[in-house]
Amino acid sequence: MTDDPQAPGEFGFIARHFAPLAGPEGLGLGDDAALFRPSAGMETVISADMMVEAVHFFPDDPPDLIARKLLRCNLSDLAAMGAVPRGYLLAIAKPDRLHDAWFSEFARGLATDQATFGLTLFGGDTTRSTGPLVLSLTILGDVPAGAALRRSGARPGDSVWASGTIGDAALGLLARQGKLPDPDGMLRDRYLLPHPRMGLGLAVRDIAHAAMDISDGLVQDAGHLARASNVRITIDADCVPSSAAARAAGGDWLETRLTGGDDYELLLTCPADRTDALLAAASASGTALTRIGAVEPGQGVVVLDQAGRGISFARPGWQHF
Amino acid sequence: MTDDPQAPGEFGFIARHFAPLAGPEGLGLGDDAALFRPSAGMETVISADMMVEAVHFFPDDPPDLIARKLLRCNLSDLAAMGAVPRGYLLAIAKPDRLHDAWFSEFARGLATDQATFGLTLFGGDTTRSTGPLVLSLTILGDVPAGAALRRSGARPGDSVWASGTIGDAALGLLARQGKLPDPDGMLRDRYLLPHPRMGLGLAVRDIAHAAMDISDGLVQDAGHLARASNVRITIDADCVPSSAAARAAGGDWLETRLTGGDDYELLLTCPADRTDALLAAASASGTALTRIGAVEPGQGVVVLDQAGRGISFARPGWQHF
């Protein structure tokens, strides 16, 4: 590593685009590794997410939004555990066809969201790809020792809640593909730039029984939570919050909304006697929170229509392969 | 995530190959993130390395060796800081053409080296690649707070040392490409499977002034250390330790040996009054350590021949792009 932005190859590339993003833990991106210390009494929450060109984003998506989506997908995992973000490592497999102008925009997106979410770059790796651009981000956050929200804490009698609105990003992907009208671009924006619920995760950490982020489709993700907690989750389809833009897209999209990916909302369960505290916490964090179902003894996920009849879907959510 | 190895898609894939590798920090690979706590008084050392098919390894290299090299490249970064490995996160972009048999071997390699080096899988991500297999590993280790070895500690008057032998892996790559005879396969083995110097890194942590791992070519990496410490490093070419197999390859390969990548040996500097302690520590860790040069006031790296004349090379080391 060098701090000369004019240096050839990867060293100048890192100096130009990434050294300005590094925090003190990154040691100037000039050592073999980063040094990280959790704050006193805290433990470290760590998650990794990889995004592949033409799989997770379109080659002509704006580079700054690709960067911010990558960071925000990982931030959403921290939110789900009730953690405060600290920093991240970023590995990039870079095709030769992508040049400085692209990565300058990409780094600008990272800088924007570093400021928004209060974290810095700790380190990473840059290398060459013979195929698509591949981005791999590992995020680190702090949570008081033993206090992390888990998927395994749901208990029969809990209510089930979802933040924000569900399905906009899946509809936004269809809009991005020209398969759905999206006059004001609101759905597409939700696909391009998720809004991780950091404040909500923190606010409900000592109230919710279980939490996870909804990233691969509500029904599939609820299934993961049900399984981890060894319970059954029933969801009232009509209660699942939808945006005005999603409603304008019509009722035929129910399956897309409930099984589509990229929401990055939070799914929570809450004991009956803590409902008021949950709603107060959500309100204090400025996040809409909607009751969408209940936790029961049993297994799996059941989605009910207005008449209380089960609805079945062709697939419960996004499969990465 | 599910623990059903028969489940379709990524969930069964993770259950079959990776869930058995997870440590307690990984929470069964079934939560949004891992939870990690450094041991008391320690801080966390973190590094990330990415390997791309047809860039860092051959498509027909044995999958278990690809896995072990990936892990060992990252372990070498911990060794350079004097850290003890704890765990890792692994992100995989998987081309459709690679099937279960391949990943079964790959996971077997990880299991082997997890046992050898004492670490476990904390988490990660699996997704689809439309191009090459891309592997991104983030490693975490423990070091006593404030005790990590750094590149920036070299001082004029220090001696410069290299572990093991230098250049075997670069020659092994040529042998792998059929450009060099390698009758007993020793050079190729050094290319395929590095030996990170964990014991040496720990043993010299309180003795050496500076350390880094030699991964992209001795001359280039020495330049990084010189720059981080604001000193000049002189290297006596004749002192750079070579293996019998490398010597059998002849003297024409000096440039390849001194500027080739993939050694994963350690480069150390040591104050004059600590030479005996350094050699005793190296001996106790069972690692060969050879004095190859000196630290002087100034900048950059100078490689000297037997007559004390400077040798120049076309390029100092491996450039990732």
Side-chain angles (χ1 to χ4, degrees):
Chain A
M1 183 43 203
T2 164
D3 59 9
D4 176 9
Q6 307 303 323
E10 67 176 315
F11 304 113
F13 179 80
I14 295 167
R16 280 192 299 281
H17 302 304
F18 297 105
L21 302 175
E25 294 87 349
L27 310 177
L29 308 185
D31 245 296
D32 286 285
L35 287 172
F36 172 77
R37 216 178 298 192
S39 310
M42 310 293 267
E43 60 189 332
T44 304
V45 180
I46 324 165
S47 182
D49 265 309
M50 188 177 246
M51 281 176 31
V52 179
E53 184 181 19
V55 176
H56 300 88
F57 56 89
F58 293 88
D60 60 346
D61 282 343
D64 59 322
L65 293 186
I66 293 171
R68 295 169 73 191
K69 183 167 183 174
L70 175 69
L71 201 47
R72 288 172 179 222
C73 296
N74 278 276
L75 283 162
S76 181
D77 288 321
L78 295 189
M81 306 282 278
V84 174
R86 290 283 305 272
Y88 64 101
L89 294 92
L90 175 62
I92 301 174
K94 170 191 170 309
D96 293 340
R97 70 190 139 75
L98 289 183
H99 294 295
D100 256 38
W102 197 97
F103 283 99
S104 177
E105 285 299 291
F106 181 82
R108 192 171 59 79
L110 293 175
T112 298
D113 273 357
Q114 286 190 191
T116 300
F117 295 100
L119 75 173
T120 58
L121 181 64
F122 285 2
D125 194 19
T126 52
T127 190
R128 194 164 66 86
S129 172
T130 53
L133 172 66
V134 181
L135 304 164
S136 179
L137 196 146
T138 301
I139 199 162
L140 293 95
D142 269 345
V143 72
L149 279 166
R150 301 281 306 275
R151 296 182 182 182
S152 53
R155 298 288 171 264
D158 284 1
S159 48
V160 177
W161 304 74
S163 66
T165 55
I166 299 297
D168 294 330
L171 297 178
L173 172 57
L174 294 176
R176 176 74 180 74
Q177 294 169 320
K179 298 177 183 172
L180 192 73
D182 182 27
D184 56 2
M186 182 278 189
L187 296 172
R188 185 203 58 209
D189 289 351
R190 286 273 306 203
Y191 166 74
L192 288 173
L193 192 64
H195 293 271
R197 302 302 187 181
M198 312 312 296
L200 180 66
L202 284 182
V204 305
R205 194 172 58 203
D206 301 323
I207 301 168
H209 265 169
M212 69 179 296
D213 82 325
I214 306 167
S215 55
D216 292 336
L218 172 63
V219 175
Q220 178 168 296
D221 286 332
H224 294 319
L225 197 149
R227 209 189 157 287
S229 296
N230 196 28
V231 296
R232 180 161 77 165
I233 289 178
T234 59
I235 295 173
D236 295 314
D238 266 16
C239 296
V240 176
S242 59
S243 68
R247 285 194 298 275
D252 286 347
W253 299 105
L254 180 71
E255 177 155 359
T256 300
R257 286 182 48 237
L258 266 54
T259 64
D262 277 341
D263 283 320
Y264 302 103
E265 296 291 352
L266 293 187
L267 181 69
L268 306 171
T269 86
C270 180
D273 61 357
R274 298 286 275 158
T275 304
D276 290 347
L278 185 80
L279 289 170
S283 173
S285 77
T287 316
L289 194 62
T290 305
R291 181 173 178 148
I292 63 167
V295 179
E296 300 173 355
Q299 294 191 315
V301 176
V302 180
V303 182
L304 302 174
D305 68 11
Q306 268 182 306
R309 289 174 303 228
I311 308 174
S312 62
F313 300 112
R315 48 156 224 171
W318 170 258
Q319 281 276 334
H320 291 277
F321 51 81
Chain B
M1 182 44 201
T2 163
D3 60 8
D4 176 8
Q6 308 302 324
E10 67 175 315
F11 304 113
F13 179 81
I14 295 168
R16 281 192 299 279
H17 303 304
F18 297 103
L21 303 175
E25 294 87 349
L27 310 177
L29 307 187
D31 245 295
D32 287 285
L35 286 173
F36 173 76
R37 218 178 297 193
S39 309
M42 309 294 267
E43 60 190 334
T44 304
V45 180
I46 323 164
S47 182
D49 266 309
M50 188 178 246
M51 281 177 31
V52 179
E53 184 181 18
V55 176
H56 300 88
F57 56 89
F58 293 89
D60 60 345
D61 280 344
D64 59 322
L65 293 186
I66 294 172
R68 294 169 73 191
K69 183 167 182 173
L70 175 68
L71 202 46
R72 288 172 179 223
C73 294
N74 278 276
L75 284 161
S76 182
D77 288 320
L78 295 189
M81 307 282 277
V84 174
R86 291 282 306 272
Y88 65 101
L89 294 93
L90 175 60
I92 301 175
K94 170 189 171 308
D96 293 339
R97 70 190 141 74
L98 289 182
H99 293 297
D100 255 39
W102 198 96
F103 284 98
S104 177
E105 286 298 291
F106 181 82
R108 192 170 60 79
L110 292 175
T112 298
D113 273 357
Q114 287 190 190
T116 301
F117 294 99
L119 74 173
T120 57
L121 182 63
F122 286 0
D125 193 19
T126 53
T127 190
R128 194 164 66 86
S129 172
T130 53
L133 172 66
V134 181
L135 305 163
S136 179
L137 196 146
T138 302
I139 199 162
L140 293 95
D142 267 345
V143 71
L149 279 165
R150 301 280 307 272
R151 297 182 181 182
S152 53
R155 298 287 171 264
D158 284 2
S159 48
V160 177
W161 303 76
S163 67
T165 55
I166 300 297
D168 294 330
L171 298 177
L173 172 58
L174 294 176
R176 177 74 181 75
Q177 293 168 320
K179 298 176 182 172
L180 190 76
D182 180 29
D184 55 3
M186 183 278 191
L187 296 173
R188 185 204 57 208
D189 289 351
R190 286 272 305 201
Y191 166 74
L192 288 173
L193 192 63
H195 293 272
R197 302 303 187 179
M198 312 313 295
L200 179 65
L202 283 182
V204 306
R205 192 173 58 204
D206 301 322
I207 301 169
H209 266 169
M212 69 180 294
D213 81 325
I214 306 167
S215 56
D216 291 335
L218 171 63
V219 175
Q220 177 168 296
D221 285 332
H224 294 318
L225 197 149
R227 206 188 159 288
S229 296
N230 195 28
V231 297
R232 180 161 78 166
I233 289 179
T234 59
I235 295 172
D236 295 315
D238 267 17
C239 295
V240 176
S242 58
S243 67
R247 286 193 300 275
D252 288 345
W253 299 107
L254 179 71
E255 177 155 358
T256 300
R257 287 182 47 238
L258 267 53
T259 64
D262 277 339
D263 283 320
Y264 301 103
E265 297 290 353
L266 293 188
L267 180 68
L268 305 171
T269 86
C270 179
D273 61 357
R274 299 285 276 158
T275 303
D276 290 348
L278 185 81
L279 289 169
S283 174
S285 77
T287 316
L289 193 62
T290 305
R291 181 173 178 149
I292 62 167
V295 178
E296 300 173 356
Q299 294 192 314
V301 176
V302 180
V303 181
L304 302 173
D305 68 11
Q306 268 182 308
R309 290 174 303 227
I311 308 174
S312 61
F313 299 112
R315 47 156 224 168
W318 169 258
Q319 281 276 335
H320 292 276
F321 51 80

